[in-house]
Amino acid sequence: MRAIINNWLRRGTPTAARRLLGLAAGARGWMALGVLLSLLVTATYVGQGVLVATSLIRIFDGEAWARIIPLLVGGVALLVVRAALLWSTELVAVTTGVAIKAQLRRRLYEWLFVLGPGYTAGLRTGTVQATVVDGVERLETYFSKFIVQLIAAVVGSAAILTGMVIVDPLIGVVLAGSAVAICTTPLIARRLQAERSAWFWDTWRRLGSGYLDALQGMTTLKAFDASDERGRELAQRSRDFYHASIRFVSVANLRTGAMGLLSAGGVALAVGMGAIRLSTGALTAFQLLLVLLLAREAFRPLEDLQKAYHSAYPALSAARGVFRLLDATPVVADPPTGATAPDGPTGATSPDGRGTPRTSTGGSITLDRVTFGYDTTKPAVLDDVSLRIEAGETVALVGRSGAGKSTVAALLLRFFDPRSGRVLLGDDDVRDVALTDLRHHIALVSQDTYLFHGTVRDNLALGAPDASQAAIDAAARAAGADEFIDRLPHGYHTVVGERGLTLSGGERQRIAIARALLKDAPILILDEATSSIDAANEAGIQAALDRLAAGRTTLVIAHRQSSVRAADRIVVLERGRVSAAGTHDELLTASPDYARLVA
């Protein structure tokens, strides 16, 4: 059975089906077992039919019950065997689905991390969630039920129809014709369903995205008294999904009705022909009983296939989202292998023997005539920007909102690559540095501190998962976070909740600082790290940031004057260009842009 699946995968299927089966590479053994069990179930129906037909003939012939009872016992035994096989089939189907879902979700999440913020920034969270969660759920039935039943139906029905041809060629041909007609109905219906199915799945993704947006923005909706309007929008989307579902199901029911009519009509025609041929002597009573009992069984696998197809068809639409994600091209990628690490031995190789990407530990940062924009149809966010930050130097980047300050941080972390120019870490272009190594050497404290659902300790050790408790304690003390952590119900093992909303903004910010301290990276980016902190906490957090920046190459992105005055240099960005650079006092007199910002 496994060979059948693999051969069908290589040759006989359309591109979309081949790609779908390619996602099941780790579970084909389970699928093959499912096919075998389904064929055994069909065999029990056939065996039961033969035993019943034989028993009836012997009863009609007046034979002794001693010759009839064993046949009846055999039929009952087949019932018990079939029950066990059906239970096993369901168990194997569930196991197959779980294995495929786990493997596919792992693959999707790994690829999402490769795509990074440069890809996800342009998508709605709900859309990605619908693909990774709901889309994968839809694919389960396709693999665990439909593909298995497809192979079992083809083999099982073909075997029974071959037996019918042997019993009576004419009746066998009639049944085979009905079977072919049944098999063509999904192909005809598929044309009608294709557009409705795509609309159904797109509507579902929009509905899920809307609900997730509403849940995440519940506070804002209530604060602006906009919840009723958003509720009406979601109600309209729900109605759209309702209509999409009805249109999809209406076509599916037409297909189901057509297949039922062809199945019942084929059996009735075969039995009627058998009765006529019995009256003419062309068919024996035993052969007629076989036709009566087995003609129905010839169509049973096809009807089971129709049910599986009905539940699995939405998977084809869900698969579009999965393939769209898997086919997405990363905005940035690791450099080609084969470069030599400047600090390590030459000729270092990766496990595949092709070499390793360049690594770097340089502490200086250089932007060399960098131009970048998120949208090629709009003006560049950064336009021919040149800037150098020496190792150990603290440089503040200031400017109005939209001037490109945070974009510089995104380019340093290589979430994006510049359209032109170079970003250097030490003497190395960041495009020649392994992404893991690059980000290992940079610590970030941002305006919006993201804490994951988990304990305080888990969030502190995010960048240093192997850190000891002593190191975590030291980082928390240096960040001024130890006092409030000690007050939490379970200290470091307190669960902070989704996005850390059980903590205040200042507490979240101190955890972010401690997290950066624990990472102990040579380069530090402070992106509006105190903008959401009240004046009472600002002094303490600024002191913790100063301790964090000591001895590190630091880029400070800020609006607040208190955050930038102590920098070695201040660089002013205006409309994507460097308009001035110098100390606070120098810029107050030399730069109208800076003076306006301070004012």
Side-chain angles (χ1 to χ4, degrees):
M1 293 305 159
R2 189 168 185 172
I4 292 175
I5 292 176
N6 288 332
N7 288 334
W8 192 52
L9 172 62
R10 285 194 296 269
R11 285 179 283 179
T13 55
T15 301
R18 270 201 304 273
R19 291 202 66 185
L20 276 170
L21 284 174
L23 300 178
R28 288 181 199 158
W30 286 108
M31 292 172 67
L33 179 59
V35 171
L36 177 60
L37 290 172
S38 296
L39 289 175
L40 290 175
V41 169
T42 299
T44 62
Y45 280 114
V46 173
Q48 193 174 4
V50 172
L51 289 176
V52 170
T54 305
S55 299
L56 289 173
I57 289 298
R58 290 184 180 182
I59 292 173
F60 294 156
D61 291 343
E63 295 190 18
W65 282 100
R67 297 194 61 199
I68 299 172
I69 290 176
L71 298 177
L72 299 178
V73 171
V76 173
L78 285 177
L79 281 173
V80 175
V81 170
R82 183 160 65 245
L85 288 172
L86 289 172
W87 176 83
S88 301
T89 301
E90 288 300 317
L91 181 62
V92 169
V94 171
T95 305
T96 303
V98 169
I100 291 174
K101 286 192 296 184
Q103 173 183 286
L104 181 55
R105 282 207 177 100
R106 182 169 58 250
R107 181 178 173 185
L108 288 173
Y109 277 116
E110 288 174 352
W111 188 238
L112 271 173
F113 289 136
V114 171
L115 293 173
Y119 173 78
T120 57
L123 297 176
R124 297 183 69 183
T125 304
T127 301
V128 177
Q129 181 190 31
T131 297
V132 176
V133 179
D134 301 323
V136 173
E137 286 294 328
R138 299 272 180 174
L139 289 175
E140 176 190 6
T141 307
Y142 182 87
F143 293 116
S144 62
K145 296 288 183 67
F146 174 66
I147 295 298
V148 169
Q149 188 59 41
L150 174 61
I151 298 174
V154 170
V155 176
S157 294
I160 296 175
L161 290 172
T162 300
M164 289 292 95
V165 170
I166 294 174
V167 171
D168 186 271
L170 182 59
I171 293 176
V173 169
V174 169
L175 289 173
S178 298
V180 171
I182 289 174
C183 292
T184 59
T185 54
L187 300 178
I188 297 172
R190 185 174 180 178
R191 291 180 175 272
L192 299 174
Q193 280 183 291
E195 182 179 348
R196 291 171 173 81
S197 178
W199 185 34
F200 171 87
W201 188 244
D202 289 340
T203 307
W204 169 253
R205 277 199 295 264
R206 288 195 297 271
L207 181 63
S209 299
Y211 276 119
L212 185 62
D213 276 351
L215 287 173
Q216 291 178 335
M218 184 67 70
T219 302
T220 303
L221 290 173
K222 285 296 183 182
F224 285 87
D225 194 27
S227 56
D228 290 343
E229 179 62 28
R230 183 54 58 95
R232 284 190 288 272
E233 291 178 9
L234 291 175
Q236 181 58 50
R237 292 185 186 183
S238 182
R239 284 191 292 272
D240 291 342
F241 180 67
Y242 162 75
H243 292 303
S245 302
I246 293 299
R247 293 185 184 187
F248 176 78
V249 171
S250 63
V251 176
N253 287 340
L254 285 175
R255 186 191 69 242
T256 303
M259 292 183 70
L261 178 63
L262 289 170
S263 174
V267 172
L269 182 60
V271 173
M273 290 181 61
I276 293 173
R277 291 176 66 74
L278 175 66
S279 65
T280 62
L283 207 66
T284 66
F286 176 69
Q287 289 175 319
L288 179 60
L289 285 172
L290 285 179
V291 171
L292 180 64
L293 293 170
L294 296 185
R296 180 73 183 83
E297 302 307 326
F299 297 125
R300 187 186 300 277
L302 297 178
E303 290 176 358
D304 291 341
L305 175 62
Q306 186 274 137
K307 296 175 184 176
Y309 180 82
H310 175 72
S311 58
Y313 188 82
L316 298 177
S317 296
R320 296 190 187 100
V322 172
F323 292 142
R324 192 180 302 120
L325 178 57
L326 292 175
D327 292 340
T329 303
V331 178
V332 298
D334 262 320
T337 55
T340 303
D343 300 320
T346 59
T349 58
S350 60
D352 60 9
R354 296 181 299 170
T356 56
R358 182 180 298 277
T359 61
S360 174
T361 56
S364 63
I365 298 170
T366 305
L367 274 67
D368 180 18
R369 306 194 67 177
V370 168
T371 297
F372 173 78
Y374 297 97
D375 188 342
T376 56
T377 63
K378 297 179 180 178
V381 178
L382 296 177
D383 186 8
D384 199 35
V385 171
S386 292
L387 171 66
R388 180 169 177 85
I389 306 174
E390 299 295 342
E393 184 182 18
T394 296
V395 171
L397 204 58
V398 300
R400 292 183 297 181
S401 296
K405 303 184 299 299
S406 294
T407 300
V408 172
L411 293 176
L412 282 174
L413 287 162
R414 206 172 169 231
F415 295 153
F416 306 93
D417 282 334
R419 294 181 192 171
S420 62
R422 299 183 303 162
V423 178
L424 303 177
L425 179 65
D427 296 326
D428 299 315
D429 191 318
V430 294
R431 285 172 288 201
D432 297 327
V433 179
L435 289 170
T436 301
D437 185 74
L438 171 68
R439 292 164 188 170
H440 177 74
H441 284 82
I442 300 176
L444 172 69
V445 180
S446 62
Q447 174 183 0
D448 183 18
T449 298
Y450 195 99
L451 299 184
F452 292 90
H453 180 81
T455 66
V456 172
R457 189 189 191 284
D458 292 338
N459 280 281
L460 286 171
L462 185 65
D466 298 326
S468 65
Q469 187 61 47
I472 292 174
D473 289 340
R477 281 194 301 273
D482 55 325
E483 291 185 6
F484 84 81
I485 292 175
D486 290 338
R487 292 195 302 269
L488 294 174
H490 304 289
Y492 286 93
H493 298 289
T494 301
V495 176
V496 299
E498 188 176 3
R499 299 178 67 90
L501 293 180
T502 58
L503 303 177
S504 70
E507 289 169 343
R508 291 197 299 270
Q509 207 68 353
R510 290 178 188 272
I511 288 180
I513 295 169
R515 187 160 62 188
L517 276 166
L518 200 60
K519 187 176 182 181
D520 195 25
I523 295 174
L524 174 65
I525 299 175
L526 304 177
D527 188 0
E528 302 285 6
T530 62
S531 63
S532 59
I533 305 303
D534 57 74
N537 288 316
E538 183 181 4
I541 290 180
Q542 187 60 54
L545 289 172
D546 292 340
R547 289 192 292 273
L548 175 60
R552 292 179 170 85
T553 306
T554 306
L555 175 64
V556 180
I557 299 170
H559 283 98
R560 289 189 178 185
Q561 185 183 155
S562 57
S563 302
V564 304
R565 290 192 65 167
D568 299 319
R569 274 187 302 140
I570 301 172
V571 176
V572 183
L573 279 181
E574 182 66 22
R575 296 184 180 180
R577 287 178 171 267
V578 175
S579 67
T583 65
H584 172 73
D585 293 334
E586 291 170 349
L587 290 175
L588 278 177
T589 57
S591 172
D593 292 332
Y594 183 74
R596 189 163 48 249
L597 287 172
V598 172

